[in-house]
C-alpha cells in the first residue's frame, strides 16, 4: 500500500486551492506510484469540513514535466466520509476512480467554507491503491474442475488444448444452426452482487482460428435467479490465429439485480475457446472499511560485508584509543604512538620497558600492549560476535635487537555452571620463531603473530588480549622493546590484513570504516565489488518495491551481536 506522510504538516490558508505536494516531502516525487482502478485518499485536520478533497492524476512519467490531467472536482468520486475525530483532528476520506491514462497522483485540498483569517493544518495524508476481487466463482472464471456453462447453439466442454489461466479453458463447438454461438451460464456460474450502486468492470478472453466478431456479455438475475437482462459490455473482433485476446467493459447493474454472470459469444460456426471471466467493482468493494492510517514506508537495508575486521582502531594511525600498556608493578597507562614506524603508513603502538624485579611474575601476567582486562563492550577494542565459530587474531610486531621475543596472547573467560569463571590463556609463536620457521608471515622486520581458537558456548563475547614477552622471562636485566601494528580479528583462518582504508593503507571503495566513520576507531568492513553490486541491487530494488518508496543502502553497519549466532542475514529491512 503506497503511502506518504507530510511530516512537517502543510499549513493551509483559507479561500485557496492548496497543493499539499508543494510542501516537503513533495508528493509529486515521493508519491510517484502508478495508480489504476480505485484509490482511497484519507487525511486528518481540525474542525472545519473539507470541500473538493480530491486525487489529481498525471499522465506523464517525467518527474520535471508532470502536469495535471484534470481538476479534482472532475474526478468520479464514488464515496466520501469523515471519521476518527481525535484531539481536534478529523480524518476525511474519499474513494475515487482513476482514469486509465493516469500514472502518478497528488492530493489537493480546497477549503472555501472557512471563515476569513482561519488557519487549518493537514497531515498524515495517505493514498492507497486497491484492486477489487473477482466476484465470479473460480470454477466459472478459470474452469478449474467443473463446467459451469451449457451451450447456446454450441456444445461446451472443459479442454486442456488451449489453456490461458490454469490447466484448461472452456471449449465451444458451434452446432451451425444459428449465426451467433457461445456458452450460457448455469446456476454454478452465478455470483451474488454486493451492491447495485457501483459500476462493474466485466472482463473475458477469447481465442479463435480466424478473426470473428464477438460480444462480451453480462447477465443479471433477480433473487430467484431469474434472468432480468443481458447487457453487452464490449464488442470486438478476435485476432485469429489462435491468439488469446482480452476484452473488458463497464456496466451498471439494473435495479433488483442480485446475481450476475459473464459470458462471450462469437459470430462463427468454428470452434473457439474462452477463459478468465471477471466481474469486479470499479470502485472499492462497498463493504470494505476504510483502512487505518499507515505511515509512509521507508526501507533501510543493512548489507552484510564479505569480511569484518572486529578490531577497533587496528592500525594506530592517529592515536592509541582503546589500548593500554602493562608493566608489572606499574599502573596501566595509555600506549605511546610513533608517527614514523608504521608497517605501511604512519602510526604504530610502541612499548619499551626493562624488568627490575629479580623474580619473574606469575605465568600469564600481562606485559606489553593490550586491551583492558574487562569483558564489557565499552572496555575493549576486540570483539567476538559468535561463540562456537573459529576466530583468528593476528598482529604485526617489530622487535628491537635487544628485546625479548614477543608473543600474542588471547585470554578466554567462560562461565562454567557450578564452578564460576574459568580462565584460558592462548599463546602464539614468538617473533623469533615466526622469522625462523614461517618466512611467509614476515614483512621485512615485521613478524605476523596469530592465534586461532573457537570460543566455547558460554564464553564472553568480548576478547581480551595483549602483545608482549613471556612473563617467565621477565626478570631483572631483561627488557622488551617492540612496535605493534595492523591487528586483525575475524572469523575463520588467517587471511590478508585489511582495515577501512583498504589493503596496505590504500584508499579503495570496497573498504569502509564502520558507519562511515573516518577517525579509524571503528571496525572495518570489506565489500567485494561494492560499486558494481550496489548498482545491480538498486536496479533489482526498483523492480520489486513500489515506485516512490524511499530506501537507504547502509554499508558498514554494526554486525548483529548474538550469543547463539542467530540473525546472520544478508539483508535486514
Amino acid at each position: 500500500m503506497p503511502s506518504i506522510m507530510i511530516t512537517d504538516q502543510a499549513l493551509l490558508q483559507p479561500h485557496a486551492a492548496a497543493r499539499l505536494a508543494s510542501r516537503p516531502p513533495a508528493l509529486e516525487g515521493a508519491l510517484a506510484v502508478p495508480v489504476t482502478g480505485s484509490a482511497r485518499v484519507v487525511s486528518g485536520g481540525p474542525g472545519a469540513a473539507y470541500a473538493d478533497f480530491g486525487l489529481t492524476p498525471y499522465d506523464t512519467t517525467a518527474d520535471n514535466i508532470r502536469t495535471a490531467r484534470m481538476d479534482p472536482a472532475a474526478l468520479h468520486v464514488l464515496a466520501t466520509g469523515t471519521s476518527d475525530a481525535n484531539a481536534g483532528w478529523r480524518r476525511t476520506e474519499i474513494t475515487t476512480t482513476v482514469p486509465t491514462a493516469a500514472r502518478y497522483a497528488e492530493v489537493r485540498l480546497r477549503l472555501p467554507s472557512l471563515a476569513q483569517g482561519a488557519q487549518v493544518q493537514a497531515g498524515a495524508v495517505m493514498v492507497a491503491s486497491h484492486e477489487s476481487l473477482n466476484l465470479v466463482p473460480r470454477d466459472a472464471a478459470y474452469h478449474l474442475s467443473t463446467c459451469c456453462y451449457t451451450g447456446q447453439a454450441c456444445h461446451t466442454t472443459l479442454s486442456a488444448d488451449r489453456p490461458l489461466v490454469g490447466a484448461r479453458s472452456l471449449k465451444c463447438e458451434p452446432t451451425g444452426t444459428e449465426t451467433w454461438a457461445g456458452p450460457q451460464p448455469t446456476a454454478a456460474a452465478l455470483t451474488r452482487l454486493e451492491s447495485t450502486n457501483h459500476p462493474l468492470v466485466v472482463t473475458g478472453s477469447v481465442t479463435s482460428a480466424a478473426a470473428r466478431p464477438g460480444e462480451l456479455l453480462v447477465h443479471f438475475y433477480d433473487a430467484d435467479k431469474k434472468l432480468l437482462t443481458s447487457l453487452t459490455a464490449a464488442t470486438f473482433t478476435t485476432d485469429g490465429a489462435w491468439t488469446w485476446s482480452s476484452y473488458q467493459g463497464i456496466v451498471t447493474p439494473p435495479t433488483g439485480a442480485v446475481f450476475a454472470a459473464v459470458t462471450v459469444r462469437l459470430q462463427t460456426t468454428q470452434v473457439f475457446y474462452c477463459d478468465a471471466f471477471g466481474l469486479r467493482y470499479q470502485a472499492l468493494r462497498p463493504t470494505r472499511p476504510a483502512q487505518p492510517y499507515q505511515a509512509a514506508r521507508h526501507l533501510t537495508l543493512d548489507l552484510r560485508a564479505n569480511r569484518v575486521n572486529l578490531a577497533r582502531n587496528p592500525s594506530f594511525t592517529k592515536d592509541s584509543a582503546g589500548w593500554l600498556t602493562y608493566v608489572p608493578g606499574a599502573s596501566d597507562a595509555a600506549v605511546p604512538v610513533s608517527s614514523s614506524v608504521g608497517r605501511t603508513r604512519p602510526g604504530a603502538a610502541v612499548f619499551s620497558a626493562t624488568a627490575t624485579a629479580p623474580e619473574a611474575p606469575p605465568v600469564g601476567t600481562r606485559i606489553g600492549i593490550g586491551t583492558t582486562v574487562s569483558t564489557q563492550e565499552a572496555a575493549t577494542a576486540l570483539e567476538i560476535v559468535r561463540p562456537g565459530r573459529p576466530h583468528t587474531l593476528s598482529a604485526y610486531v617489530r622487535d628491537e635487537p635487544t628485546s625479548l621475543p614477543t608473543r600474542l596472547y588471547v585470554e578466554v573467560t567462560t562461565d562454567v555452571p557450578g564452578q564460576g569463571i574459568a580462565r584460558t590463556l592462548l599463546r602464539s609463536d614468538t617473533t623469533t620463531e615466526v622469522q625462523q620457521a614461517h618466512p611467509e608471515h614476515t614483512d621485512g622486520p615485521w613478524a605476523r603473530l596469530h592465534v586461532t581458537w573457537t570460543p566455547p558456548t558460554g564464553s564472553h563475547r568480548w576478547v581480551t588480549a595483549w602483545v608482549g614477552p613471556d612473563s617467565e622471562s621477565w626478570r631483572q636485566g631483561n627488557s622488551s622493546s617492540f612496535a605493534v601494528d595492523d591487528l586483525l580479528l575475524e572469523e575463520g583462518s588467517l587471511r590478508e590484513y585489511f582495515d577501512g582504508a583498504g589493503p596496505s593503507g590504500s584508499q579503495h571503495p570496497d573498504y569502509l570504516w564502520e558507519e562511515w566513520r573516518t577517525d579509524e576507531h571503528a571496525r572495518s568492513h570489506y565489500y567485494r565489488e561494492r560499486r558494481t553490486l550496489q548498482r545491480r541491487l538498486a536496479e533489482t530494488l526498483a523492480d520489486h518495491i513500489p515506485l516512490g518508496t524511499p530506501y537507504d543502502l547502509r554499508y558498514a553497519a554494526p554486525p548483529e551481536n548474538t550469543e547463539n549466532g542467530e540473525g546472520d542475514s544478508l539483508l535486514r529491512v
Side-chain angles (χ1 to χ4, degrees):
M1 180 177 65
S3 60
I4 185 67
M5 179 176 63
I6 302 179
T7 54
D8 65 343
Q9 297 184 343
L11 183 63
L12 306 179
Q13 298 292 335
H15 307 290
R19 291 178 57 186
L20 303 189
S22 63
R23 300 286 295 188
L27 290 186
E28 290 115 328
L31 188 60
V33 292
V35 179
T36 58
S38 301
R40 185 186 293 277
V41 184
V42 295
S43 181
Y50 290 119
D52 295 326
F53 185 54
L55 182 71
T56 301
Y58 290 79
D59 61 355
T60 176
T61 59
D63 290 347
N64 57 350
I65 59 172
R66 290 185 191 141
T67 54
R69 295 185 68 256
M70 61 180 66
D71 188 89
L75 287 175
H76 184 188
V77 178
L78 301 167
T80 61
T82 301
S83 60
D84 300 344
N86 182 21
W89 286 86
R90 178 178 299 173
R91 189 173 191 234
T92 301
E93 65 177 277
I94 66 168
T95 301
T96 177
T97 58
V98 180
T100 303
R103 288 183 52 81
Y104 298 88
E106 75 173 10
V107 175
R108 293 188 180 187
L109 185 62
R110 291 188 293 188
L111 306 168
S113 60
L114 289 182
Q116 183 69 34
Q119 291 186 342
V120 174
Q121 285 186 315
V125 177
M126 180 175 73
V127 179
S129 176
H130 301 269
E131 294 183 2
S132 298
L133 300 177
N134 189 1
L135 302 178
V136 178
R138 292 180 64 84
D139 270 333
Y142 307 116
H143 318 292
L144 299 181
S145 58
T146 304
C147 186
C148 300
Y149 302 88
T150 61
Q152 178 184 7
C154 71
H155 296 297
T156 56
T157 57
L158 300 185
S159 173
D161 294 341
R162 299 184 184 278
L164 174 64
V165 178
R168 55 189 61 84
S169 60
L170 184 66
K171 182 179 181 179
C172 301
E173 300 178 85
T175 60
T177 58
E178 295 187 19
T179 304
W180 290 87
Q184 285 290 101
T186 66
L190 304 188
T191 182
R192 179 179 289 274
L193 300 177
E194 298 179 5
S195 170
T196 59
N197 298 324
H198 294 76
L200 292 165
V201 178
V202 186
T203 58
S205 300
V206 185
T207 184
S208 59
R212 302 302 302 165
E215 293 180 341
L216 177 63
L217 304 173
V218 57
H219 313 278
F220 293 101
Y221 303 80
D222 62 14
D224 297 325
K225 298 185 179 180
K226 293 182 179 180
L227 182 65
L228 293 176
T229 185
S230 295
L231 301 178
T232 300
T235 59
F236 55 83
T237 300
T238 63
D239 293 336
W242 296 117
T243 300
W244 280 101
S245 302
S246 299
Y247 309 99
Q248 76 172 36
I250 299 176
V251 298
T252 300
T255 302
V258 178
F259 297 94
V262 179
T263 62
V264 296
R265 66 174 186 168
L266 294 187
Q267 191 174 12
T268 183
T269 59
Q270 303 297 318
V271 174
F272 65 94
Y273 299 81
C274 46
D275 200 356
F277 294 139
L279 197 64
R280 296 174 173 84
Y281 282 104
Q282 185 185 25
L284 297 177
R285 298 180 67 176
T287 58
R288 186 169 185 171
Q291 297 183 8
Y293 174 74
Q294 176 179 331
R297 173 186 291 181
H298 188 107
L299 303 180
T300 299
L301 291 86
D302 292 344
L303 285 85
R304 190 180 68 185
N306 297 96
R307 295 175 62 186
V308 178
N309 185 352
L310 300 173
R312 296 180 177 89
N313 191 21
S315 57
F316 305 98
T317 303
K318 298 180 179 180
D319 55 33
S320 56
W323 301 92
L324 299 174
T325 57
Y326 292 93
V327 178
S331 60
D332 301 339
V335 183
V337 173
S338 171
S339 61
S340 60
V341 297
R343 184 176 71 92
T344 58
R345 51 184 165 153
V350 176
F351 177 82
S352 182
T354 300
T356 58
E359 299 295 332
V363 175
T365 299
R366 289 174 175 245
I367 306 170
I369 297 173
T371 66
T372 67
V373 297
S374 172
T375 57
Q376 301 301 314
E377 176 181 4
T380 181
L382 302 177
E383 174 189 346
I384 295 175
V385 175
R386 289 177 291 192
R389 302 282 187 96
H391 290 71
T392 299
L393 174 63
S394 65
Y396 281 91
V397 177
R398 184 187 64 187
D399 284 340
E400 295 298 327
T402 59
S403 174
L404 291 170
T406 306
R407 291 187 191 272
L408 172 63
Y409 298 85
V410 173
E411 183 178 291
V412 180
T413 54
T414 309
D415 290 321
V416 180
Q419 300 181 25
I421 300 297
R423 179 172 178 260
T424 304
L425 189 65
L426 307 173
R427 307 194 305 176
S428 73
D429 292 338
T430 66
T431 48
T432 301
E433 292 168 341
V434 171
Q435 291 169 342
Q436 292 175 349
H438 299 283
E440 71 276 12
H441 292 163
T442 61
D443 182 7
W446 295 86
R448 193 178 191 191
L449 310 179
H450 74 280
V451 173
T452 299
W453 81 106
T454 300
T457 302
S459 62
H460 291 288
R461 293 185 297 111
W462 310 106
V463 182
T464 61
W466 69 93
V467 177
D470 290 330
S471 57
E472 54 265 36
S473 301
W474 190 252
R475 56 173 55 89
Q476 189 174 12
N478 292 330
S479 65
S480 177
S481 182
F482 63 88
V484 61
D485 201 2
D486 293 349
L487 286 99
L488 175 64
L489 172 61
E490 65 177 335
E491 290 189 23
S493 58
L494 183 67
R495 291 190 283 178
E496 178 189 11
Y497 172 79
F498 80 95
D499 58 37
S504 303
S506 60
Q507 298 298 316
H508 193 283
D510 291 355
Y511 298 86
L512 299 173
W513 294 103
E514 191 167 286
E515 296 179 334
W516 300 92
R517 294 179 60 174
T518 57
D519 58 9
E520 303 189 10
H521 291 167
R523 290 168 292 208
S524 308
H525 293 229
Y526 166 57
Y527 301 86
R528 185 173 55 250
E529 300 180 4
R530 178 171 70 93
R531 296 284 177 84
T532 299
L533 295 178
Q534 178 175 309
R535 183 170 60 253
R536 292 177 181 173
L537 179 58
E539 293 171 353
T540 301
L541 289 172
D543 293 337
H544 291 88
I545 66 175
L547 186 63
T549 300
Y551 67 90
D552 294 326
L553 300 182
R554 190 167 69 172
Y555 290 93
E560 294 186 6
N561 299 326
T562 57
E563 293 287 354
N564 57 10
E566 298 296 327
D568 184 24
S569 59
L570 178 62
L571 296 178
R572 187 169 69 250
V573 180

